[in-house]
Amino acid sequence: MNPTPAPAQTFRAIDVIRKKRDGGELSRCEIDSLVNAYTRDDIPDYQVSAWLMAVVLRGMTRAETAALTDAMLQSGEVLDLSSLAAKKVDKHSTGGVGDKTSLVLAPLAAAAGVAVPMISGRGLGHTGGTLDKLESIPGFDVNLSVAQFRRVLETCGCAMIGQTAEIAPADRKLYALRDVTGTVESPYLICASIMSKKLAEGIDALVLDVKTGSGAFMKDEKDAVFLAELMVETGERMGKQMVALITDMDQPLGLKIGNALEVVEVLEVLHGEGPEDLRRLCLELAGWMLHLGGVADSVAEGKRQSEKLLSSGTALDKFRQMVELQGGDQRAIDDPRRLPQAQHTMILSSSRDGYLAALECEQVGTACVILGGGARTKRRFGGSGSRNRAA
Amino acid sequence: MNPTPAPAQTFRAIDVIRKKRDGGELSRCEIDSLVNAYTRDDIPDYQVSAWLMAVVLRGMTRAETAALTDAMLQSGEVLDLSSLAAKKVDKHSTGGVGDKTSLVLAPLAAAAGVAVPMISGRGLGHTGGTLDKLESIPGFDVNLSVAQFRRVLETCGCAMIGQTAEIAPADRKLYALRDVTGTVESPYLICASIMSKKLAEGIDALVLDVKTGSGAFMKDEKDAVFLAELMVETGERMGKQMVALITDMDQPLGLKIGNALEVVEVLEVLHGEGPEDLRRLCLELAGWMLHLGGVADSVAEGKRQSEKLLSSGTALDKFRQMVELQGGDQRAIDDPRRLPQAQHTMILSSSRDGYLAALECEQVGTACVILGGGARTKRRFGGSGSRNRAA
C-alpha cells in the first residue's frame, strides 16, 4: 500500500475535519494528506486536535482505520528483515499489572526457531513497561541502533529495544497531542497507534494479548473484544497474520509486581517453574507464536514444544544470550540477588484466616508506580515517545 | 451573574474536555475557568479546539449555554446605559441576502422613543453586513469610541457601530479558532457568540430575526426554530426580554442587493415606500421593538405607530440625524445619486414572458460578494473580529 498524498494546494485540513465531524468516511488520500502534513508541521495542532475529537466521537470505518495505520507506519522507517530466513513474529499486550510475559516469550519463541524483533514501550498509567523491567538487569541496553538490533536478532533470534526516533514519527506527534486533548480513548486511534509501531518491525505475524478487567485499560470485556477485532482486521488488511487473545486482568499476573521482582518471576518461568497463571498465559501465547511462526503445526503442538523448551533450560539459555548481547550482566540471570533490591520490606498480614476474594488490580499497579516502578528512566521524545501500550 | 473562576491550580482543561467528550454537563465554574483561561492565553488553542469539537458533537444543556454566553460576555466590557431613561432594545438578524432592515429599524424605533444601541457586524460568507452598507454613505464612521457611541445614542436615540476591541474578547478568540477548526456550525456556540456580543450593549430587550431558507445559514426551518428557542431562553435566563421571528430567506429581501443599492432601498422604505416584502418585515420587527421598548401596548399598536413614523418622514429625519452625528454626508440621504454608483451595468432579460418561480438566493449573495460587496473594508481583529452574524 503506497500512500499517494494529494498535491498540497488541493488539501485543506478544514475539509477533512468537517467531513469527519459530519460522520463521513475519509478517503485514503485525505488521511494520507492529513498525517503527512501534520508530520511535516504543515498543519497546526489545533486543527488536528479538532479532527481527533471528531474521530473519537464519530468513529472510523475499517478502511479508514487501516489507512490511518498505514499512513502513520509510512511516516517513518519500516525495518526490512527479509534477509532472515525465520518467520518474524511478535506479541503485543495492551498493558496490565504484573504482565511480564514479553520477557519470557521473546527468548522462548526464539529458542523454537521463530525470529522475535520486539520493540516495546514503557509503563503507561498504572501499567508496567517491558523496557523498565529489562533495565532493572544491570547494564541491559534497550537503546540499540537499528543496525545493532538487527545484529542481536540475527545472532540469537530475538532482540528487545525501545522505539527509535525513526519509527512512526506521526504516531509520536499524534500521541503527544492526544494525551493533552482527551483523545486517547478511541479504539480506532489506539489501533492505529499500536499497529503502526508494531508493523514497522517488519514482522510476518502478530499475537495480540488484549487485557480486560479492573487492572486493564479496557475494563469492559466488550470494549476489549471490539479493539481486538479491529486490530486483527487492520493487520490482516495490511497482509499480516494476526491473532488476538482476550485475557483476564482482574488481578495482577503472577505474584510479583515491580521491575526487578518481575525479572525474578520471569526467571522462575524460564526455569520451568513460576506461578501457574503466568506460566499458563505464557504457554498459550507461545503456542500461537510458534504456530504462526511456522515451527509448530498447531497451537497445541506449539504449547508442547514451549513446555519442553522451558523445562530443558533452552529458553533460559536464549534469554541469557540476549542479555549478554545487549550488554546486560549475565550473573544477574544466574543469581537474581544481583538484581536491584528494595531498601525496605513490609509484610501486610491478614488478621484472620480466609481466602483473598478480590484485589483492586489498578490500585496495586498505581502503588507500584508511586514506589518508583514507572519512573526508572525519563520518557524520551518529549514525554510521549516510548509509551506504546494503550496508545 | 458573577463568574467565580476556580483557583488556577485546581482547573485542568483536560478534565473539562473529557467531561464534555463523554456527554457530561459542565458546571458554571468549569465553563468560566475554561473561557477565562483561554482569554488570558493560559490554555493552548489545541485544547480548546478539541473541546469545541466535543461541544459540536455532544451539544450543551440550556444551563451550559447560558453559562458560556455569560462567561464570554463578562470577558470584556459591558456597556452601562442605565443613565438613559428610554428602554434599550436591539434587533439581531442571523444574516441573509438583501437584508437591510437594521438601517430602517434603528432610526424607526428611535423615532418612536426607544433607544437602539446597535453594534453590528460585517458580511460573512454570502451574506451582507450592516457595517459595509453604512460605510457606503460617504464619511459615515462605524468606528466610534464607546464615549462617542453613547453621545450619539443620547442625542438621537440610536447609534450604529462595529464591535470594539473591549467587547467580548473571548468571542473574538473563540470565533477565530472555530473558523479554522470546523466548529462554527453548532447552535450552542452560535447562540453564545451572538448573545454575548448583543448583551454587551447593555440592552433591556432583543428582537431576533432568525432567517431560514436557501439564502440563510440555517437552510432547514427546524434548525432555525431550534436556534431561535435557544437564544430566547438564553437571553431570558440572563434577565432580558426576548422574542424571535423566523423569517423567510428563500429569496433576497427587497429588490436591491449591494451596499450602496441597499441604502437606496432603505431610503425608499424610510420614505414610506419600498418593496412590500422588505416593508412588511420592517414593520413586523419594529412592532415588536416598540412593544418591548414600552412605547406601544401591543405589537399591532407598534406596527401602526411605525407606519405613521414612516409616512410622516419622522423616521427618515432620525436617520438623517444619525448619519450627520456619525460623520456621514447628509446630502447622500436627500440625493441618493451621491452614493457610490456601479461602473458597469448589465441588464439580463428573459427570452420569454413568464414568472420567476425561484431564485438561487445564496448564489445571488455570493455574486454580490465577488463584485466587491463583502470587501469594502478589511476585517479587524485578526480576520475574525467583527463578523457577528452566524457566529
Side-chain angles (χ1 to χ4, degrees), chain B residues 110-186:
Chain B
V114 176
V116 186
M118 195 179 271
I119 299 180
S120 300
R122 299 202 176 270
L124 178 67
H126 64 282
T127 69
T130 296
L131 300 183
D132 303 313
K133 293 168 197 178
L134 286 169
E135 284 181 343
S136 72
I137 301 170
F140 195 98
D141 186 4
V142 298
N143 299 309
L144 305 187
S145 69
V146 168
Q148 291 171 315
F149 178 64
R150 183 188 292 270
R151 206 152 48 234
V152 174
L153 185 62
E154 284 169 352
T155 308
C156 84
C158 61
M160 300 177 81
I161 60 167
Q163 208 188 336
T164 72
E166 292 76 28
I167 289 177
D171 175 65
R172 264 200 305 288
K173 265 198 93 168
L174 284 169
Y175 191 83
L177 187 60
R178 287 167 60 205
D179 199 29
V180 292
T181 55
T183 52
V184 167
E185 294 88 344
S186 156

Side-chain angles (χ1 to χ4, degrees), chain B residues 90-93 99-108 116 118 120 130 133-134 160 198 209 266 278 282 285 289 319 322 389:
Chain B
D90 194 10
K91 182 228 61 157
H92 177 81
S93 158
D99 180 4
K100 67 277 286 176
T101 55
S102 288
L103 278 71
V104 174
L105 291 167
L108 178 51
V116 186
M118 195 179 271
S120 300
T130 296
K133 293 168 197 178
L134 286 169
M160 300 177 81
K198 283 285 149 186
D209 181 7
V266 163
L278 174 63
C282 285
L285 292 165
M289 288 178 79
F319 187 62
M322 180 182 72
R389 305 230 136 235

Side-chain angles (χ1 to χ4, degrees), chain A residues 21 46-47 49 180 182 185, chain B residues 14 21 46-47 49 180 182 185:
Chain A
R21 176 197 70 193
Y46 56 75
Q47 288 192 313
S49 64
V180 293
E185 295 88 345
Chain B
I14 184 85
R21 177 197 69 193
Y46 56 77
Q47 288 191 314
S49 64
V180 292
E185 294 88 344

Side-chain angles (χ1 to χ4, degrees), chain A residues 329-363:
Chain A
D329 185 352
Q330 277 192 71
R331 294 172 302 175
I333 307 308
D334 297 313
D335 179 6
R337 284 170 303 180
R338 287 178 176 271
L339 291 168
Q341 305 288 324
Q343 283 185 290
H344 306 283
T345 306
M346 188 174 171
I347 295 171
L348 299 175
S349 304
S350 170
S351 57
R352 59 187 176 88
D353 286 346
Y355 293 95
L356 188 66
L359 203 59
E360 282 286 351
C361 190
E362 181 166 339
Q363 302 300 322

Side-chain angles (χ1 to χ4, degrees), chain B residues 2 49 96 142 160 192-193 227 245 247 269 279 369:
Chain B
N2 290 310
S49 64
V142 298
M160 300 177 81
S193 178
L227 177 63
L245 279 64
T247 72
V269 177
R279 183 181 149 82
V369 171

Side-chain angles (χ1 to χ4, degrees), chain A residues 27-276:
Chain A
S27 70
R28 172 163 203 89
C29 176
E30 286 167 329
I31 290 173
D32 280 338
S33 299
L34 187 81
V35 170
N36 291 339
Y38 186 52
T39 309
R40 288 192 312 263
D41 292 323
D42 281 352
I43 49 174
D45 289 333
Y46 56 75
Q47 288 192 313
V48 177
S49 64
W51 177 78
L52 287 167
M53 184 57 83
V55 170
V56 168
L57 294 175
R58 288 294 198 178
M60 279 188 150
T61 64
R62 299 300 161 106
E64 284 177 301
T65 309
L68 178 61
T69 304
D70 199 39
M72 287 162 64
L73 169 66
Q74 302 293 344
S75 74
E77 193 176 330
V78 181
L79 297 189
D80 179 3
L81 298 176
S82 57
S83 61
L84 271 78
K87 273 186 114 175
K88 278 71 67 180
V89 182
D90 194 9
K91 183 230 56 159
H92 178 80
S93 158
T94 57
V97 178
D99 181 4
K100 67 279 282 177
T101 56
S102 288
L103 279 70
V104 174
L105 291 167
L108 177 51
V114 176
V116 185
M118 195 179 271
I119 299 180
S120 300
R122 298 201 177 272
L124 178 65
H126 65 281
T127 69
T130 295
L131 299 182
D132 303 314
K133 294 168 196 178
L134 286 169
E135 284 181 343
S136 72
I137 301 170
F140 195 99
D141 185 4
V142 298
N143 299 309
L144 305 186
S145 68
V146 168
Q148 290 170 315
F149 179 64
R150 184 188 290 271
R151 208 153 46 234
V152 174
L153 185 62
E154 283 169 352
T155 309
C156 84
C158 62
M160 300 178 81
I161 61 168
Q163 209 189 333
T164 72
E166 292 76 26
I167 288 177
D171 175 64
R172 264 200 305 288
K173 266 198 92 169
L174 285 169
Y175 191 82
L177 187 60
R178 287 167 59 208
D179 200 29
V180 293
T181 54
T183 51
V184 167
E185 295 88 345
S186 156
Y188 312 98
L189 298 175
I190 291 170
C191 170
S193 178
I194 291 174
M195 296 298 289
S196 66
K197 284 176 292 196
K198 283 287 151 184
L199 298 185
E201 294 171 345
I203 49 176
D204 302 301
L206 181 61
V207 177
L208 293 166
D209 181 7
V210 181
K211 302 290 192 192
T212 184
S214 65
F217 286 105
M218 308 281 152
K219 312 287 182 209
D220 190 328
E221 188 174 328
K222 191 166 49 63
D223 296 337
V225 170
F226 184 85
L227 177 63
E229 288 177 347
L230 191 63
M231 290 198 288
V232 166
E233 189 171 330
T234 301
E236 285 175 348
R237 277 172 180 261
M238 299 173 79
K240 308 298 173 186
Q241 280 184 281
M242 301 288 303
V243 70
L245 279 64
I246 312 291
T247 72
D248 175 60
M249 194 33 76
D250 256 338
Q251 53 185 351
L253 196 56
L255 297 169
K256 294 187 170 73
I257 302 155
N259 296 324
L261 286 173
E262 294 191 37
V263 172
V264 172
E265 205 167 59
V266 163
L267 294 172
E268 291 170 15
V269 176
L270 287 171
H271 273 105
E273 299 157 10
E276 192 51 25

